[in-house]
Amino acid sequence: MIHFLTIITIVSLGLLIGTEFAVSVFVNPVLWKLDNSAQAAAIRMFARKLGTAMPFWYAGSLVLLASAWFLGHHEAHPWLLLSANLIWVAVIVLTLLFLVPINNRMAQLDPGSFAVESRREHHKWDAMHRARVAALTVAFVCFLAASVR
């Protein structure tokens, strides 16, 4: 059971972090090269699509991490599992407080008027998003280190 849970958790966290990494390193830099109306339209579509799917993926991944900690807390490195869980929770809280409000505004962008303030806000979101990706990666490494026996 623990082995299966570990594999599912690795796949879920790895794919989530890979998706978030791709947004930051590949998608956003390409978007910034588009003209203002195309950029606003694309950002709006990404904000809506990912804003709908990611909350469930983050929560599901937290459930997997928490299950791994609960079921494997007697293992050699419970503090690593606990650290992964705490980092994941902190990321979710900070996402709800800072990134979600910006994302919601980006989802409502009017492609006809992509104001300087909106572009600045999108760059602010991206900077915070990069920090989020780094934190998620640390949580993932903690989980992987705890899972190696």
Side-chain angles (χ1 to χ4, degrees):
M1 175 69 173
I2 291 288
H3 196 65
F4 178 73
L5 176 63
T6 300
I7 291 169
I8 296 298
T9 305
I10 289 170
V11 170
S12 180
L13 271 60
L15 289 173
L16 185 146
I17 293 167
T19 299
E20 296 288 38
F21 179 80
V23 166
S24 191
V25 174
F26 301 112
V27 174
N28 282 339
V30 169
L31 292 178
W32 294 330
K33 293 181 181 190
L34 298 173
D35 66 74
N36 284 346
S37 62
Q39 188 179 134
I43 289 170
R44 180 180 176 178
M45 288 187 284
F46 276 114
R48 285 181 174 177
K49 186 63 129 182
L50 293 174
T52 301
M54 296 312 275
F56 298 103
W57 202 349
Y58 272 80
S61 294
L62 179 59
V63 168
L64 290 170
L65 277 172
S67 298
W69 181 80
F70 180 74
L71 296 173
H73 69 278
H74 61 281
E75 298 294 331
H77 306 292
W79 63 274
L80 284 170
L81 283 174
L82 182 59
S83 296
N85 277 277
L86 292 175
I87 293 168
W88 207 270
V89 168
V91 164
I92 289 173
V93 169
L94 292 172
T95 295
L96 291 171
L97 291 174
F98 299 107
L99 288 139
V100 168
I102 295 172
N103 187 76
N104 290 344
R105 287 190 292 277
M106 294 295 110
Q108 302 303 318
L109 280 176
D110 176 13
S113 63
F114 191 39
V116 172
E117 181 58 33
S118 294
R119 285 193 298 277
R120 190 175 306 123
E121 196 167 41
H122 184 250
H123 284 281
K124 178 181 175 183
W125 180 93
D126 190 57
M128 288 188 288
H129 177 70
R130 288 174 190 261
R132 172 172 60 181
V133 171
L136 293 174
T137 302
V138 170
F140 189 39
V141 169
C142 288
F143 174 76
L144 291 174
S147 300
V148 176
R149 299 190 210 318

